[in-house]
Amino acid sequence: MTTVPIEATPVDRERSSITWGGFSLAFWLPVTWMVTLLFTVALADILPIREPTESDFTALKARPGLEFWLGTDVLGRDIFARIIHGARISLTVGFFAPVFGMIIGLIFGMMAGYYRGKLESIIVGVIDIILAFPNIVLAMCILFFAGATMVNLIIVLSVTSIPANTRIARASTLVFAGREFVMAARAQGASDLRILWHEILPNIVLPQLAYILSFMSIVIMIEGSLAFLGVGIPPPTPTLGGMIAQGFPDINTDPHITFMPALILFLTVLSLNLIGDQLRHKFTIRESAL
Amino acid sequence: MLFYIRRKLIHLIPITFAVTALSFFFIDLLPGDVADAIAGVGTDSTVIDEAAIQAIRKDLGLDQPVIVRYFSWLGNALVGELGKSYQTGQTVADAIALRLPITLQLLVMAQLLAVVFAVPAGILAAYRAGKVTDQVVTTLTFAFLAAPSFIIAIVLVFIFAVILNWFPATGYVPFGDDILANLRAFTLPAMALALIEWPILSRVLRNDLIATLQEDFILLAKAKGLGTIYILLRHALRPSSFTLITIIGIQLGNLISGAVIVESIFALPGIGSLLVDSIHGREILMVQGVIVLMAMAYVTINLAVDIIYGTLDPRIRQ
């Protein structure tokens, strides 16, 4: 939900001594988790898992065990299968929304940082206005009235990552727009578009990409919250947030129904944050760019 | 200084227009209008009566062009008339006035708790930068940053309401009725919000403090033989808290989003649950009113933060 990712200072970088390929265990563990999750989610249809919407009325609220690995929910549906299919939605939305947000943010930010003047004031003003609407509130209203489909969800959530992306892109464009090679290109008669595309974009796209994992984690959290509030993709399609909300009334007696999907959501967001943080430090992205 | 404040206030005018217009238009542009909702379109059971819809539309002025409606709505909004619920007949202003104190109490308690968690953690981490204590605090902030508010709320309910039974999981008691019961009901929701807020505050404070602790005046204070705690609290904390103050303002949007979720989990009848209920009940005017209120609150608080910031640090006034 954080709009601007915040990270640790470089002071505390030389902590762990055991590394593989320059990265510590705190990098490889989350990578393993994400790769496993991605594979399971991608292959969900051919893997031998149960149907996520199929009820087994002889096993309502079953505990985790051999037959149902993570147990069943209140309608006797396999929690493991539902988590895999729910994570599929989270990851799809969590991938596309930040990518679109980044593209739009790059365009806005580069224009603001390159052309300056009135255009910059307008873009900064638009960003201020988007920020004035709390992101979950905005998403909730639009989804409820426009319909909670996957496409709408992606559009709404990409809007929430535009402000931070624009700020990052604007700050790095400001740095490069005054550099000698840009002036040289202009002296050779290159058009603004060519300068932006060939000179500035290649320099700022990598630092921008370094933040995308953080935005993915934020979008996945918002998607979970929306589904939890009942304004995400509607049932019977399983969503992690929806599963948590459905299990919540039974938290006294069957906490696993709530906590299994919650744990998966938590681990996924944590992994994305950890990987993103380490990559940023590996490639020493300057945090002052924000 | 006055010039700075005036410039900031002038900046507020276009933002106010944009924020109100946006709240008005995008709800207006979405499929289905108030008349449809009143007549029950979209709730599968009712038969649609075109004539009735047209009558309601005329009654509400919905047959006017959208610009005309925006300005008449804005004019009414300025004097606090935001329309009324067509289900209960309660005015939007009344509903908000009734529920606002609850949300304000929640936000204030949450913010206080967040500062109470964040300041010691940030100081400790900065003082022991790079050491084990710092790593523990940093790891904790990482874990909490990865937990959405609703998961934190659920874990709190499970630990403190289900297992320990110290606090109620739901139920609101008005402040006037029983102060102690009221505070007990607010403890878990406020804590849930504080727990999503503190890692951000703590990290910002830690980073600023590390920079401050390398300044010469800190070295001088050490040379004078002043105690560590005295130096940290009296010399280092104040110059390191500028970013913290700004972040508290910026984070307000997050906190409001969090309040919407936390209020519905703990059944607190505040602005957040008003919004969720209104959305599910298709109370368009109510939704509009609440969104405008939230957006304007965010804009105003950030303006106040800017002004406070300008007072504390003359450099940014220029």
Side-chain angles (χ1 to χ4, degrees):
Chain A
M1 259 161 283
T2 328
T3 346
V4 178
I6 296 183
E7 48 274 294
T9 45
V11 176
D12 43 9
R13 270 309 119 178
E14 341 74 52
R15 54 174 94 133
S16 167
S17 48
I18 317 155
T19 56
W20 293 272
F23 288 109
S24 68
L25 205 61
F27 176 80
W28 289 114
L29 272 183
V31 167
T32 317
W33 169 257
M34 285 312 294
V35 170
T36 319
L37 188 69
L38 276 173
F39 264 102
T40 324
V41 163
L43 302 175
D45 291 332
I46 48 174
L47 287 177
I49 57 173
R50 289 163 197 273
E51 276 298 307
T53 49
E54 195 182 81
S55 294
D56 181 347
F57 292 107
T58 60
L60 300 182
K61 302 189 201 171
R63 289 295 154 104
L66 279 178
E67 194 179 351
F68 302 98
W69 292 353
L70 298 182
T72 60
D73 69 2
V74 66
L75 292 173
R77 295 173 298 194
D78 185 39
I79 291 179
F80 180 73
R82 291 179 67 73
I83 283 177
I84 298 302
H85 284 266
R88 181 183 265 189
I89 291 178
S90 302
L91 291 178
T92 314
V93 174
F95 176 78
F96 284 106
V99 168
F100 291 145
M102 192 185 101
I103 293 172
I104 299 169
L106 266 175
I107 296 173
F108 277 3
M110 281 167 68
M111 291 204 308
Y114 184 76
Y115 290 107
R116 312 295 309 268
K118 264 219 180 72
L119 190 67
E120 187 181 25
S121 319
I122 293 173
I123 291 176
V124 171
V126 169
I127 298 304
D128 280 349
I129 291 160
I130 298 180
L131 281 176
F133 295 95
N135 51 30
I136 288 184
V137 174
L138 183 75
M140 218 163 77
C141 297
I142 297 182
L143 283 180
F144 193 79
F145 291 107
T149 61
M150 187 78 116
V151 175
N152 286 349
L153 201 56
I154 291 174
I155 294 175
V156 165
L157 291 180
S158 57
V159 172
T160 61
S161 53
I162 289 176
N165 269 303
T166 306
R167 286 186 173 175
I168 298 169
R170 174 176 159 270
S172 26
T173 307
L174 282 174
V175 172
F176 285 104
R179 291 279 290 273
E180 295 81 359
F181 62 88
V182 172
M183 273 189 267
R186 193 173 298 132
Q188 287 175 336
S191 66
D192 285 344
L193 197 66
R194 196 190 149 83
I195 293 176
L196 283 171
W197 183 256
H198 283 285
E199 311 293 340
I200 293 179
L201 185 65
N203 284 302
I204 69 169
V205 78
L206 207 66
Q208 193 90 19
L209 272 175
Y211 285 98
I212 204 161
L213 289 172
S214 304
F215 290 121
M216 286 181 178
S217 73
I218 293 165
V219 164
I220 289 177
M221 280 204 272
I222 302 180
E223 189 272 335
S225 309
L226 291 171
F228 180 81
L229 286 173
V231 286
I233 306 231
T237 311
T239 52
L240 294 179
M243 292 174 69
I244 296 169
Q246 210 183 22
F248 188 49
D250 291 321
I251 199 167
N252 303 338
T253 50
D254 301 277
H256 69 279
I257 304 177
T258 304
F259 284 117
M260 289 300 177
L263 185 69
I264 305 293
L265 188 64
F266 173 72
L267 286 179
T268 307
V269 174
L270 183 65
S271 300
L272 287 171
N273 282 343
L274 284 171
I275 300 170
D277 188 63
Q278 310 236 359
L279 281 181
R280 267 198 300 276
H281 284 106
K282 179 83 178 169
F283 299 108
T284 52
I285 308 293
R286 254 173 306 148
E287 276 129 30
S288 55
L290 278 172
Chain B
M1 190 62 218
L2 274 176
F3 176 74
Y4 173 74
I5 293 178
R6 200 173 64 207
R7 203 180 64 201
K8 283 281 166 197
L9 282 177
I10 291 172
H11 186 63
L12 188 65
I13 297 169
I15 296 221
T16 308
F17 268 106
V19 162
T20 50
L22 215 67
S23 325
F24 185 82
F25 290 125
F26 78 31
I27 291 194
D28 199 81
L29 289 177
L30 294 168
D33 65 13
V34 190
D36 285 350
I38 296 174
V41 175
T43 58
D44 338 300
S45 54
T46 20
V47 181
I48 300 161
D49 183 353
E50 251 331 295
I53 293 178
Q54 287 310 326
I56 297 168
R57 226 167 243 162
K58 202 167 178 73
D59 188 40
L60 292 171
L62 285 176
D63 46 352
Q64 306 270 328
V66 70
I67 295 288
V68 175
R69 279 188 289 128
Y70 168 62
F71 280 103
S72 76
W73 175 78
L74 187 63
N76 287 334
L78 283 178
V79 292
E81 291 211 4
L82 292 158
K84 61 181 180 191
S85 156
Y86 48 81
Q87 283 169 14
T88 60
Q90 191 183 29
T91 65
V92 174
D94 280 350
I96 288 176
L98 203 66
R99 287 152 172 264
L100 191 58
I102 296 166
T103 303
L104 286 181
Q105 188 186 350
L106 176 65
L107 291 180
V108 169
M109 280 178 72
Q111 198 64 266
L112 284 177
L113 274 177
V115 171
V116 166
F117 294 152
V119 170
I123 293 178
L124 205 65
Y127 176 61
R128 308 286 300 166
K131 308 274 170 50
V132 177
T133 323
D134 179 28
Q135 284 176 22
V136 170
V137 173
T138 307
T139 313
L140 268 180
T141 56
F142 243 100
F144 277 100
L145 275 180
S149 50
F150 68 99
I151 292 188
I152 291 185
I154 284 173
V155 172
L156 287 180
V157 167
F158 189 64
I159 297 176
F160 293 105
V162 175
I163 297 182
L164 297 173
N165 209 3
W166 287 356
F167 297 100
T170 55
Y172 160 71
V173 182
F175 193 73
D177 287 7
D178 183 350
I179 296 177
L180 220 64
N182 167 279
L183 289 179
R184 259 167 66 93
F186 271 93
T187 305
L188 286 187
M191 206 145 96
L193 280 184
L195 286 177
I196 55 168
E197 177 86 350
W198 82 272
I200 299 160
L201 303 184
S202 157
R203 286 183 156 210
V204 166
L205 181 63
R206 169 188 175 276
N207 292 358
D208 282 7
L209 255 179
I210 287 176
T212 311
L213 287 177
Q214 285 157 5
E215 299 269 351
D216 291 341
F217 70 91
I218 298 292
L219 196 66
L220 176 70
K222 276 187 198 153
K224 283 199 286 191
L226 298 175
T228 312
I229 295 178
Y230 187 84
I231 293 177
L232 283 173
L233 296 181
R234 295 300 301 251
H235 288 126
L237 189 58
R238 211 176 91 98
S240 313
S241 51
F242 290 144
T243 325
L244 190 74
I245 294 170
T246 331
I247 288 284
I248 289 179
I250 294 173
Q251 285 296 316
L252 187 78
N254 260 340
L255 215 53
I256 293 177
S257 284
V260 172
I261 293 167
V262 165
E263 279 179 13
S264 18
I265 293 178
F266 292 97
L268 285 181
I271 295 288
S273 41
L274 176 67
L275 180 72
V276 176
D277 294 347
S278 308
I279 285 182
H280 285 297
R282 302 190 79 86
E283 294 265 18
I284 295 177
L285 291 176
M286 202 69 97
V287 173
Q288 230 164 27
V290 172
I291 292 186
V292 168
L293 176 81
M294 284 179 171
M296 287 314 296
Y298 179 85
V299 171
T300 320
I301 300 250
N302 273 290
L303 178 87
V305 169
D306 275 356
I307 292 175
I308 294 172
Y309 199 64
T311 322
L312 289 176
D313 187 352
R315 276 171 307 177
I316 67 145
R317 272 182 248 157
Q318 6 159 332

